[in-house]
Amino acid sequence: MLEAGLPIYLEWSLILNIIVALLYVMLGFVFAKLLVKYVTRSLKGKVPQYALMFINKMVFYIIVFISVIFALIAIGAERYITGVIVAGGVLGVVLGFASEKAVSNFISGVFLLLDRPLSVGDPVEIKNETGIVTDISFLSTKIKTWDGRYVRFPNSEVFGSMIINYGKHMARRIDLTIGVAYKEDPDKVLNVIRKVIDEHPLILAEPEAKIFVDSLGESSVNIAVRVWVPAAMWFDVRRQIVSIIKKKLEEEKIEIPFPQVVIWFKTPLELK
Amino acid sequence: MFGEYKLSGELFIEKHGLKISVKETTKGIFKYYRCFQNISTIKTVVSENPYLGIYPLPPIGLRPFTVEHVYLKLRSPITLSPNKKTEIYFKAPANIGVTVLENEKHIIIDNISLVKEKYALYGPIESGVLCRFYVTDAYNKEPLITLSEAVVKAKVINESNNFIEISKLIIPVSGAKLFYSSEQVYYGLVEVIIEAENEIIIKHLNEPIVSNISQAPITIGQPKEYLKMEWGI
């Protein structure tokens, strides 16, 4: 009876242990998900979005890793854990050498998170590609370009290249040059443009707008307009303001000249 | 003008050029129409037995661009002697919020600004604060205001040992509830504590500044406990 019962007992015990191990892994996943939710709720608005994503990924993988260790213990594989970790370490070194680029991207990703030149949602220009940052992960940075393309940069390239972040500061300047005819009164022109600037809600009252006669060009008197707008609204205001200034100048009958060349002949032309 | 209106049949409100009308087209379906300076908005509201609410709202801008502070620029600065306490009144912008109320729940269907909208940056461009900008005088008693303006009463305390010149005030208004009577709008009491020239703390206390006024039941944004004016006053 005993000899016949032992294998059955062992079999049931093994099945039970496997179930327990699976439960550990499942609970680990559930707990990791819940903890990520809690961390997100606690840190939202307090740390940048990309740092939050990084912390969430770290928290998730650490909890899952711990639950896998518990699962291994549950199936009686605890004596192999040290070996697994050591083997994992050795394998990690081997893989590290083998995947130098991936390691380089990972380290660059960490540096990007510490240096913080860009965040998810920022309008940026990286290597002549402009768009909105949609994700910063361990290995890569993704942007959605203005024309809707998905561009993925390895983090090592992002870290090593020039990044222009158009949304890093609260305000951004719009620079315009408007040419008017020489016959026009510059004070009148400045007043017309100043009124347009004052009436536009999103052109900031402070820092103050600068409007001045900048240069005397070949065909026009050039008026420089330097105005500050909220960085997020730069493109919209830039698009509107040129059109409004042109309309107002036309309403005031102020001529915007086009380049003209007067040709003088050394010998007067004769009609035959 | 401010308050609740039972919606049944047709409602028409006209004040200082602002026209609001609501008409029940079919049972439970209302057509909301608003017009100001030839700019109109039409919305359809589907609701059983609703009320229309008109309340003052903090002037935090209209989507997609919103701010959390109001920048009051004084036409002429005020100089405050050391260790002096005083109370000063200002005018500030206030939006008009139109809500539909059903089962004690408000839904904002319109947010109107009747005064000129202008914004400014307080502080440096890399870390400053974008604000709704408004130029005002300082008054020693409650000033007369127009529709879409509000009265601000500030309790200013100069705790420093120096004369302090005040040329601007930045008031956190996100999440703040405004107060109203039938025609007037008020911000809650504002406390300005000047510890040094670049250490000014501004708190928007949600206390009414006069009696017999109601608190608006709606607001926008998250309230901010205080603001430090670290780039000068």
Side-chain angles (χ1 to χ4, degrees):
Chain A
M1 284 296 285
L2 190 68
E3 279 174 10
L6 189 62
I8 294 166
Y9 166 75
L10 277 174
E11 216 171 89
W12 275 109
S13 155
L14 187 64
I15 289 168
L16 197 69
N17 287 345
I18 288 169
I19 290 169
V20 170
L22 284 173
L23 269 175
Y24 272 128
V25 175
M26 280 166 68
L27 280 173
F29 265 97
V30 173
F31 182 63
K33 285 266 180 200
L34 288 174
L35 198 62
V36 163
K37 270 190 181 176
Y38 176 76
V39 169
T40 306
R41 211 178 303 146
S42 307
L43 297 181
K44 202 171 184 181
K46 292 174 188 164
V47 295
Q49 181 66 19
Y50 61 87
L52 186 61
M53 286 164 74
F54 179 78
I55 293 166
N56 280 344
K57 280 176 186 169
M58 289 294 285
V59 166
F60 183 82
Y61 288 121
I62 287 170
I63 299 293
V64 169
F65 179 73
I66 291 169
S67 68
V68 169
I69 297 285
F70 274 108
L72 287 173
I73 293 168
I75 56 169
E78 65 264 31
R79 61 182 178 278
Y80 302 119
I81 287 172
T82 320
V84 166
I85 290 170
V86 170
V90 172
L91 190 68
V93 172
V94 171
L95 281 175
F97 279 112
S99 55
E100 187 196 336
K101 286 221 162 175
V103 175
S104 159
N105 283 331
F106 178 81
I107 292 167
S108 299
V110 173
F111 284 146
L112 279 175
L113 291 171
L114 295 173
D115 193 34
R116 294 193 289 177
L118 70 178
S119 314
V120 172
D122 282 351
V124 294
E125 182 178 337
I126 307 167
K127 299 188 117 187
N128 294 327
E129 291 286 358
T130 54
I132 295 277
V133 179
T134 53
D135 185 35
I136 306 168
S137 66
F138 289 121
L139 299 178
S140 63
T141 298
K142 289 117 189 165
I143 69 168
K144 186 172 81 180
T145 61
W146 301 124
D147 56 351
R149 284 173 299 127
Y150 164 93
V151 182
R152 178 190 175 277
F153 294 100
N155 279 340
S156 57
E157 282 189 25
V158 177
F159 192 66
S161 62
M162 186 175 80
I163 301 166
I164 301 172
N165 189 334
Y166 296 111
K168 191 77 175 167
H169 294 160
M170 303 304 292
R172 199 178 152 201
R173 203 173 74 179
I174 293 176
D175 292 359
L176 299 175
T177 301
I178 293 152
V180 294
Y182 269 88
K183 67 180 169 72
E184 304 297 347
D185 173 10
D187 290 339
K188 184 185 171 189
V189 177
L190 295 182
N191 283 337
V192 170
I193 297 172
R194 194 165 290 123
K195 205 173 165 206
V196 171
I197 301 302
D198 286 345
E199 279 173 8
H200 199 292
L202 290 173
I203 292 178
L204 300 176
E206 289 180 16
E208 204 183 339
K210 300 268 189 285
I211 307 154
F212 54 93
V213 177
D214 187 41
S215 62
L216 303 174
E218 284 183 15
S219 318
S220 62
V221 175
N222 295 324
I223 311 290
V225 179
R226 314 255 188 272
V227 294
W228 290 88
V229 297
M233 304 304 290
W234 187 90
F235 184 72
D236 291 336
V237 180
R238 172 74 177 71
R239 192 165 43 83
Q240 292 163 8
I241 200 68
V242 175
S243 157
I244 298 171
I245 289 175
K246 183 179 180 290
K247 273 184 197 161
K248 288 287 173 190
L249 290 176
E250 278 174 358
E251 276 173 28
E252 295 293 328
K253 309 235 181 306
I254 292 168
E255 188 189 337
I256 302 172
F258 48 86
Q260 295 175 50
V261 179
V262 178
I263 300 171
W264 291 84
F265 291 91
K266 195 173 179 183
T267 317
L269 292 177
E270 284 178 20
L271 283 172
K272 287 181 181 175
Chain B
M1 178 181 166
F2 295 109
E4 277 172 24
Y5 300 85
K6 173 88 179 91
L7 285 182
S8 58
E10 197 170 350
L11 172 74
F12 184 74
I13 300 164
E14 186 173 4
K15 199 94 185 170
H16 300 279
L18 171 69
K19 291 175 192 165
I20 291 173
S21 81
V22 188
K23 195 176 179 183
E24 190 170 16
T25 50
T26 44
K27 181 87 181 129
I29 298 175
F30 298 85
K31 209 74 162 175
Y32 168 83
Y33 173 82
R34 181 259 292 177
C35 183
F36 181 69
Q37 290 179 344
N38 297 325
I39 297 169
S40 57
T41 298
I42 299 171
K43 284 185 180 173
T44 303
V45 177
V46 181
S47 183
E48 293 290 332
N49 204 23
Y51 282 81
L52 189 83
I54 301 180
Y55 303 107
L57 278 179
I60 65 169
L62 308 175
R63 280 182 185 178
F65 180 69
T66 57
V67 291
E68 297 184 340
H69 303 86
V70 167
Y71 182 144
L72 297 182
K73 176 92 178 170
L74 305 191
R75 279 202 183 88
S76 51
I78 305 161
T79 305
L80 211 64
S81 55
N83 303 305
K84 167 91 178 160
K85 278 184 194 175
T86 189
E87 288 181 347
I88 311 168
Y89 291 87
F90 306 99
K91 286 181 189 179
N95 286 5
I96 297 170
V98 180
T99 69
V100 173
L101 170 67
E102 194 178 331
N103 300 328
E104 297 183 0
K105 278 185 183 167
H106 287 274
I107 294 155
I108 300 170
I109 59 165
D110 204 0
N111 189 346
I112 312 158
S113 176
L114 304 185
V115 289
K116 185 180 147 188
E117 257 185 271
K118 197 75 183 164
Y119 295 87
L121 179 74
Y122 172 68
I125 61 156
E126 61 275 14
S127 54
V129 181
L130 285 166
C131 312
R132 176 80 182 262
F133 182 78
Y134 204 69
V135 180
T136 173
D137 284 308
Y139 304 88
N140 54 12
K141 60 178 186 181
E142 196 181 312
L144 291 173
I145 54 167
T146 60
L147 193 68
S148 222
E149 275 185 328
V151 175
V152 178
K153 183 182 176 184
K155 192 162 76 176
V156 186
I157 306 160
N158 182 8
E159 291 180 350
S160 76
N161 295 320
N162 300 313
F163 278 92
I164 298 287
E165 192 178 85
I166 303 170
S167 63
K168 54 176 117 35
L169 278 184
I170 313 294
I171 304 173
V173 290
S174 171
K177 284 187 177 175
L178 303 192
F179 296 87
Y180 68 95
S181 61
S182 66
E183 299 297 322
Q184 295 276 91
V185 179
Y186 302 87
Y187 279 34
L189 183 66
V190 174
E191 192 177 56
V192 182
I193 301 165
I194 304 165
E195 291 167 357
E197 204 167 333
N198 286 325
E199 282 177 42
I200 300 111
I201 292 171
I202 301 203
K203 287 181 188 169
H204 193 166
L205 311 172
N206 280 322
E207 293 172 20
I209 60 170
V210 287
S211 53
N212 297 325
I213 53 174
S214 312
Q215 192 177 41
I218 46 162
T219 187
I220 306 176
Q222 293 299 312
K224 197 169 187 173
E225 203 180 329
Y226 67 91
L227 172 89
K228 259 193 173 174
M229 282 181 71
E230 53 189 308
W231 299 292
I233 194 165

